[in-house]
Amino acid sequence: MGLRAPIVNAPMGGVAGGRLAVAVAAAGGLGMIGMGSAGSIEALERELAAAALECELPGLERELMGSAAAPAPGPIGIGLVDWVAAARPGLLDLALAAKPALLSVSFGTDLSWAARARAARIRTATQIYTVEDARRARDAGIDVLVARGLEGGGHGAPELATLPLLEAVLDAVPGPVLAAGGIGSARGVAAMLAAGAAGVWLGTALAAGEESLLSPGGRRALLAARGTDTIVTRVFDVGMELPWPQRFPARVLRNDFTARWHDRIDELSVTTAAPPEPAGDAAPAHAEQAAAARAELAAANAADDPRIAPVDAGQGVGLVTAVRPVAEILDELCSGAARLLAKGRH
């Protein structure tokens, strides 16, 4: 793809917008626009337009706003969530029509989308968590595998840590593999490249970058967090009634909501229409508590209150200590990794 830096930003929903993607691309990596749980045709059109504006291409920006077939500017890719694309007809069509440098679709078992991308001459990627996942993806003709370890932030299957997963996948299947999960420093980048990764897929390390869409509250929470302040949970998906497959919980920052509900997730899923077992006097009380918790979570999301609302973060979050331009972050990671790898050769 002609990249100067072996870095792809993870297509984090609500974080990786057009501005972040362009900043990563301008710094030599591959920028990704992410459509997460709230992804939609309108959101993708908006972020493609934002990318065009960031590139100072007003004519292209007008095209993007008026035509689904307008091309994405520069080395920019698009990342979709499988079940979101299935639930929102036209989202995958728009992503394909945008002709991204890379199309990533993850968190599903139907890989038929890859054939459509291949027919459109678009390179493809997907996140994998086991060697079996890797083999299925390669059999489906997917070009780039993202070996996402359990250290990673956001949704994913907590099967293996990043390095053991990367090693196993590289031994099992041919082709380029990107390492993802817990990578937040030049040492981490160097370690993954030395192990054989074609590059790294970075989320948390870039989430607090100046160009990200992360909310002010989420940014403050990331900067204050330590590496031990994350938890893998389904509590927010249940609380927001999002149909994420159970295989893919999310690694998020611990907060008051996870403290109260992580070990009571069955109670949180209770509704007045479906009382828990055993039934009786406890059923209405549980349903009322769950409804109140869901309302509290919705209010916290609207108010950008990270004491209750979710903030995705991987175990490398303790390495994120300041809001910086993405170009500065990538330069530090790449130059530092190059020095370490050169030192190791002597």
Side-chain angles (χ1 to χ4, degrees), residues 68-88:
I76 290 174
I78 295 171
L80 305 179
V81 172
D82 177 86
W83 64 263
V84 175
R88 293 165 173 79

PDB file of all heavy atoms in Angstrom, residues 68-88:
ATOM      1  N   ALA A  68     -22.822   8.562  -3.272  1.00  0.00           N
ATOM      2  CA  ALA A  68     -22.302   7.408  -2.540  1.00  0.00           C
ATOM      3  C   ALA A  68     -21.113   6.793  -3.249  1.00  0.00           C
ATOM      4  O   ALA A  68     -20.365   6.028  -2.667  1.00  0.00           O
ATOM      5  CB  ALA A  68     -23.399   6.357  -2.380  1.00  0.00           C
ATOM      6  N   ALA A  69     -20.917   7.095  -4.526  1.00  0.00           N
ATOM      7  CA  ALA A  69     -19.848   6.471  -5.287  1.00  0.00           C
ATOM      8  C   ALA A  69     -18.545   7.269  -5.260  1.00  0.00           C
ATOM      9  O   ALA A  69     -17.592   6.916  -5.923  1.00  0.00           O
ATOM     10  CB  ALA A  69     -20.288   6.285  -6.736  1.00  0.00           C
ATOM     11  N   ALA A  70     -18.489   8.349  -4.478  1.00  0.00           N
ATOM     12  CA  ALA A  70     -17.272   9.150  -4.427  1.00  0.00           C
ATOM     13  C   ALA A  70     -16.150   8.373  -3.740  1.00  0.00           C
ATOM     14  O   ALA A  70     -16.389   7.645  -2.795  1.00  0.00           O
ATOM     15  CB  ALA A  70     -17.546  10.450  -3.666  1.00  0.00           C
ATOM     16  N   PRO A  71     -14.913   8.518  -4.229  1.00  0.00           N
ATOM     17  CA  PRO A  71     -13.801   7.766  -3.647  1.00  0.00           C
ATOM     18  C   PRO A  71     -13.334   8.345  -2.324  1.00  0.00           C
ATOM     19  O   PRO A  71     -13.449   9.534  -2.079  1.00  0.00           O
ATOM     20  CB  PRO A  71     -12.706   7.890  -4.714  1.00  0.00           C
ATOM     21  CG  PRO A  71     -12.994   9.200  -5.384  1.00  0.00           C
ATOM     22  CD  PRO A  71     -14.492   9.315  -5.393  1.00  0.00           C
ATOM     23  N   ALA A  72     -12.790   7.483  -1.457  1.00  0.00           N
ATOM     24  CA  ALA A  72     -12.202   7.956  -0.209  1.00  0.00           C
ATOM     25  C   ALA A  72     -10.869   8.625  -0.512  1.00  0.00           C
ATOM     26  O   ALA A  72     -10.126   8.168  -1.371  1.00  0.00           O
ATOM     27  CB  ALA A  72     -11.986   6.778   0.737  1.00  0.00           C
ATOM     28  N   PRO A  73     -10.543   9.751   0.152  1.00  0.00           N
ATOM     29  CA  PRO A  73      -9.307  10.464  -0.135  1.00  0.00           C
ATOM     30  C   PRO A  73      -8.096   9.796   0.508  1.00  0.00           C
ATOM     31  O   PRO A  73      -8.085   9.503   1.687  1.00  0.00           O
ATOM     32  CB  PRO A  73      -9.552  11.849   0.467  1.00  0.00           C
ATOM     33  CG  PRO A  73     -10.493  11.590   1.593  1.00  0.00           C
ATOM     34  CD  PRO A  73     -11.357  10.438   1.154  1.00  0.00           C
ATOM     35  N   GLY A  74      -7.032   9.554  -0.286  1.00  0.00           N
ATOM     36  CA  GLY A  74      -5.776   9.062   0.258  1.00  0.00           C
ATOM     37  C   GLY A  74      -5.839   7.637   0.751  1.00  0.00           C
ATOM     38  O   GLY A  74      -6.801   6.909   0.520  1.00  0.00           O
ATOM     39  N   PRO A  75      -4.753   7.213   1.453  1.00  0.00           N
ATOM     40  CA  PRO A  75      -4.684   5.835   1.967  1.00  0.00           C
ATOM     41  C   PRO A  75      -5.556   5.657   3.205  1.00  0.00           C
ATOM     42  O   PRO A  75      -5.068   5.584   4.325  1.00  0.00           O
ATOM     43  CB  PRO A  75      -3.193   5.669   2.279  1.00  0.00           C
ATOM     44  CG  PRO A  75      -2.752   7.048   2.642  1.00  0.00           C
ATOM     45  CD  PRO A  75      -3.560   7.993   1.777  1.00  0.00           C
ATOM     46  N   ILE A  76      -6.834   5.645   2.998  1.00  0.00           N
ATOM     47  CA  ILE A  76      -7.791   5.580   4.101  1.00  0.00           C
ATOM     48  C   ILE A  76      -8.691   4.363   3.927  1.00  0.00           C
ATOM     49  O   ILE A  76      -9.167   4.075   2.833  1.00  0.00           O
ATOM     50  CB  ILE A  76      -8.637   6.872   4.163  1.00  0.00           C
ATOM     51  CG1 ILE A  76      -7.760   8.037   4.613  1.00  0.00           C
ATOM     52  CG2 ILE A  76      -9.823   6.720   5.112  1.00  0.00           C
ATOM     53  CD1 ILE A  76      -8.451   9.371   4.568  1.00  0.00           C
ATOM     54  N   GLY A  77      -8.909   3.653   5.020  1.00  0.00           N
ATOM     55  CA  GLY A  77      -9.772   2.484   5.003  1.00  0.00           C
ATOM     56  C   GLY A  77     -11.031   2.711   5.817  1.00  0.00           C
ATOM     57  O   GLY A  77     -11.214   3.756   6.445  1.00  0.00           O
ATOM     58  N   ILE A  78     -11.891   1.722   5.780  1.00  0.00           N
ATOM     59  CA  ILE A  78     -13.162   1.778   6.508  1.00  0.00           C
ATOM     60  C   ILE A  78     -13.326   0.479   7.289  1.00  0.00           C
ATOM     61  O   ILE A  78     -13.053  -0.605   6.768  1.00  0.00           O
ATOM     62  CB  ILE A  78     -14.346   1.965   5.542  1.00  0.00           C
ATOM     63  CG1 ILE A  78     -14.254   3.326   4.835  1.00  0.00           C
ATOM     64  CG2 ILE A  78     -15.689   1.835   6.272  1.00  0.00           C
ATOM     65  CD1 ILE A  78     -15.263   3.499   3.708  1.00  0.00           C
ATOM     66  N   GLY A  79     -13.761   0.586   8.537  1.00  0.00           N
ATOM     67  CA  GLY A  79     -14.005  -0.585   9.363  1.00  0.00           C
ATOM     68  C   GLY A  79     -15.455  -0.657   9.791  1.00  0.00           C
ATOM     69  O   GLY A  79     -16.017   0.334  10.281  1.00  0.00           O
ATOM     70  N   LEU A  80     -16.067  -1.826   9.598  1.00  0.00           N
ATOM     71  CA  LEU A  80     -17.466  -2.035   9.956  1.00  0.00           C
ATOM     72  C   LEU A  80     -17.586  -3.168  10.963  1.00  0.00           C
ATOM     73  O   LEU A  80     -16.729  -4.059  11.041  1.00  0.00           O
ATOM     74  CB  LEU A  80     -18.294  -2.390   8.715  1.00  0.00           C
ATOM     75  CG  LEU A  80     -18.259  -1.436   7.523  1.00  0.00           C
ATOM     76  CD1 LEU A  80     -19.124  -1.992   6.389  1.00  0.00           C
ATOM     77  CD2 LEU A  80     -18.719  -0.040   7.922  1.00  0.00           C
ATOM     78  N   VAL A  81     -18.680  -3.156  11.700  1.00  0.00           N
ATOM     79  CA  VAL A  81     -19.059  -4.255  12.593  1.00  0.00           C
ATOM     80  C   VAL A  81     -20.066  -5.123  11.846  1.00  0.00           C
ATOM     81  O   VAL A  81     -21.055  -4.608  11.299  1.00  0.00           O
ATOM     82  CB  VAL A  81     -19.679  -3.705  13.893  1.00  0.00           C
ATOM     83  CG1 VAL A  81     -20.244  -4.838  14.744  1.00  0.00           C
ATOM     84  CG2 VAL A  81     -18.634  -2.908  14.670  1.00  0.00           C
ATOM     85  N   ASP A  82     -19.823  -6.428  11.819  1.00  0.00           N
ATOM     86  CA  ASP A  82     -20.637  -7.345  11.016  1.00  0.00           C
ATOM     87  C   ASP A  82     -22.131  -7.200  11.281  1.00  0.00           C
ATOM     88  O   ASP A  82     -22.921  -6.997  10.355  1.00  0.00           O
ATOM     89  CB  ASP A  82     -20.184  -8.778  11.302  1.00  0.00           C
ATOM     90  CG  ASP A  82     -21.027  -9.806  10.579  1.00  0.00           C
ATOM     91  OD1 ASP A  82     -20.724 -10.104   9.418  1.00  0.00           O
ATOM     92  OD2 ASP A  82     -22.000 -10.313  11.179  1.00  0.00           O
ATOM     93  N   TRP A  83     -22.539  -7.271  12.539  1.00  0.00           N
ATOM     94  CA  TRP A  83     -23.972  -7.260  12.825  1.00  0.00           C
ATOM     95  C   TRP A  83     -24.595  -5.881  12.579  1.00  0.00           C
ATOM     96  O   TRP A  83     -25.777  -5.785  12.255  1.00  0.00           O
ATOM     97  CB  TRP A  83     -24.273  -7.748  14.242  1.00  0.00           C
ATOM     98  CG  TRP A  83     -23.739  -6.917  15.370  1.00  0.00           C
ATOM     99  CD1 TRP A  83     -22.579  -7.124  16.062  1.00  0.00           C
ATOM    100  CD2 TRP A  83     -24.346  -5.754  15.970  1.00  0.00           C
ATOM    101  NE1 TRP A  83     -22.420  -6.161  17.040  1.00  0.00           N
ATOM    102  CE2 TRP A  83     -23.490  -5.314  17.002  1.00  0.00           C
ATOM    103  CE3 TRP A  83     -25.525  -5.052  15.715  1.00  0.00           C
ATOM    104  CZ2 TRP A  83     -23.775  -4.201  17.791  1.00  0.00           C
ATOM    105  CZ3 TRP A  83     -25.818  -3.929  16.496  1.00  0.00           C
ATOM    106  CH2 TRP A  83     -24.949  -3.528  17.520  1.00  0.00           C
ATOM    107  N   VAL A  84     -23.791  -4.828  12.703  1.00  0.00           N
ATOM    108  CA  VAL A  84     -24.297  -3.485  12.416  1.00  0.00           C
ATOM    109  C   VAL A  84     -24.550  -3.338  10.920  1.00  0.00           C
ATOM    110  O   VAL A  84     -25.590  -2.816  10.497  1.00  0.00           O
ATOM    111  CB  VAL A  84     -23.316  -2.413  12.914  1.00  0.00           C
ATOM    112  CG1 VAL A  84     -23.776  -1.015  12.497  1.00  0.00           C
ATOM    113  CG2 VAL A  84     -23.168  -2.493  14.432  1.00  0.00           C
ATOM    114  N   ALA A  85     -23.602  -3.812  10.115  1.00  0.00           N
ATOM    115  CA  ALA A  85     -23.781  -3.737   8.656  1.00  0.00           C
ATOM    116  C   ALA A  85     -24.983  -4.553   8.209  1.00  0.00           C
ATOM    117  O   ALA A  85     -25.730  -4.148   7.311  1.00  0.00           O
ATOM    118  CB  ALA A  85     -22.513  -4.227   7.959  1.00  0.00           C
ATOM    119  N   ALA A  86     -25.199  -5.706   8.857  1.00  0.00           N
ATOM    120  CA  ALA A  86     -26.348  -6.543   8.500  1.00  0.00           C
ATOM    121  C   ALA A  86     -27.662  -5.869   8.862  1.00  0.00           C
ATOM    122  O   ALA A  86     -28.675  -6.026   8.162  1.00  0.00           O
ATOM    123  CB  ALA A  86     -26.240  -7.894   9.202  1.00  0.00           C
ATOM    124  N   ALA A  87     -27.653  -5.094   9.945  1.00  0.00           N
ATOM    125  CA  ALA A  87     -28.887  -4.458  10.424  1.00  0.00           C
ATOM    126  C   ALA A  87     -29.187  -3.142   9.730  1.00  0.00           C
ATOM    127  O   ALA A  87     -30.303  -2.624   9.838  1.00  0.00           O
ATOM    128  CB  ALA A  87     -28.798  -4.229  11.936  1.00  0.00           C
ATOM    129  N   ARG A  88     -28.192  -2.582   9.023  1.00  0.00           N
ATOM    130  CA  ARG A  88     -28.367  -1.284   8.368  1.00  0.00           C
ATOM    131  C   ARG A  88     -28.117  -1.424   6.873  1.00  0.00           C
ATOM    132  O   ARG A  88     -26.988  -1.195   6.396  1.00  0.00           O
ATOM    133  CB  ARG A  88     -27.441  -0.247   8.995  1.00  0.00           C
ATOM    134  CG  ARG A  88     -27.812   0.075  10.455  1.00  0.00           C
ATOM    135  CD  ARG A  88     -26.695   0.801  11.178  1.00  0.00           C
ATOM    136  NE  ARG A  88     -27.082   1.261  12.499  1.00  0.00           N
ATOM    137  CZ  ARG A  88     -27.149   0.490  13.577  1.00  0.00           C
ATOM    138  NH1 ARG A  88     -26.887  -0.797  13.486  1.00  0.00           N
ATOM    139  NH2 ARG A  88     -27.484   0.984  14.763  1.00  0.00           N
TER     140      ARG A  88
END
